[in-house]
Amino acid sequence: MLSALESGPATLAGLVAATGLARPTAHRLAVALEHHRMVARDMQGRFILGPRLAELSAAAGEDRLLAAAGPVLTHLRDVTGESAQLYRRQGDMRICVAAAERLSGLRDTVPVGSTLPMKAGSAAQVLLAWEEPERLHRGLQGARFTATALSGVRRRGWAQSIGEREPGVASVSAPVRGPSNRVVAAVSVSGPIERLTRHPGRMHAQAVIDAAARLTDALRRNGS
């Protein structure tokens, strides 16, 4: 029945025709699926796929992302010599969902579970740059970066920040995309400006882009 609704809204008669089920059986199953939010109704009362499917898909995608993140972030840390993080957006904040810390010396430590604002930092730029115009405009209010900066992020495919989130800290980030090409996370490396310089992208953009591409491939290979 869910497969029958994959191509779009259907009336009860449409479900009967698509599934070959008896009308009472089709109705009983559709109502049961509606109760569990697997199926919903549109404005015309037709059956459509319900919100629970999107929630399950997002949860599965996040699990796949986190499963792939460990080795990718470790490799990124080893290649750059800097701490590596993976951020996901949650409302007006971004959360560090995975990290690989630099083993010694000065480092920018962002513990897993840390909640940071969407107003500063290269990861925030990446998570905002490809948003719908209205959300992008709203996100720029009070931000430490500009619409022009985000235009540059979209053009280059990566972002950098120098002392934007925290004085003395620089970072470089790139987008991770889901199967629908939507940006679902940001991969970053961060460390002291004295090591990353005032042009951190020149040093590490390619490594960060490669790490983001590996995570994007992992999500697309498994579907969503």
Side-chain angles (χ1 to χ4, degrees):
M1 186 165 288
L2 295 176
S3 297
L5 292 174
E6 190 176 0
S7 58
T11 61
L12 180 59
L15 286 178
V16 169
T19 62
L21 295 169
R23 188 182 178 89
T25 305
H27 183 261
R28 188 172 67 251
L29 286 173
V31 169
L33 288 168
E34 187 178 8
H35 175 73
H36 292 288
R37 299 172 62 241
M38 298 284 195
V39 164
R41 306 274 189 128
D42 68 7
M43 298 291 285
Q44 285 78 47
R46 297 173 300 179
F47 293 101
I48 57 173
L49 293 175
R52 183 65 184 139
L53 295 172
E55 294 164 6
L56 291 171
S57 174
E62 182 165 349
D63 286 349
R64 280 194 297 274
L65 182 60
L66 294 182
V72 171
L73 292 181
T74 299
H75 178 72
L76 180 59
R77 177 200 65 194
D78 293 346
V79 166
T80 61
E82 303 297 341
S83 298
Q85 303 90 24
L86 180 68
Y87 294 97
R88 292 182 76 102
R89 182 172 184 176
Q90 191 169 87
D92 293 330
M93 306 299 286
R94 56 185 168 104
I95 298 175
C96 179
V97 295
E101 292 300 338
R102 192 171 192 267
L103 300 177
S104 62
L106 281 172
R107 53 187 173 174
D108 178 39
T109 303
V110 183
V112 172
S114 296
T115 303
L116 301 173
M118 281 287 294
K119 301 299 183 184
S122 62
Q125 294 177 39
V126 162
L127 291 171
L128 189 60
W130 284 272
E131 281 284 12
E132 311 261 325
E134 189 180 320
R135 287 192 76 183
L136 191 150
H137 178 72
R138 200 162 57 239
L140 281 169
Q141 294 171 12
R144 298 281 303 277
F145 43 80
T146 63
T148 303
L150 295 189
S151 176
V153 171
R154 288 191 296 274
R155 187 176 66 253
R156 291 191 308 267
W158 55 270
Q160 67 178 7
S161 72
I162 302 98
E164 198 174 272
R165 174 178 64 84
E166 191 177 322
V169 172
S171 66
V172 184
S173 299
V176 178
R177 296 177 181 275
S180 63
N181 209 40
R182 190 172 64 86
V183 174
V184 296
V187 178
S188 305
V189 292
S190 58
I193 291 174
E194 62 195 57
R195 262 201 323 263
L196 272 70
T197 76
R198 302 198 71 81
H199 302 281
R202 198 176 293 165
M203 296 180 69
H204 298 311
Q206 194 56 55
V208 175
I209 288 169
D210 290 347
R214 287 178 64 189
L215 290 174
T216 295
D217 287 346
L219 289 180
R220 290 179 175 173
R221 203 163 46 238
N222 290 294
S224 181

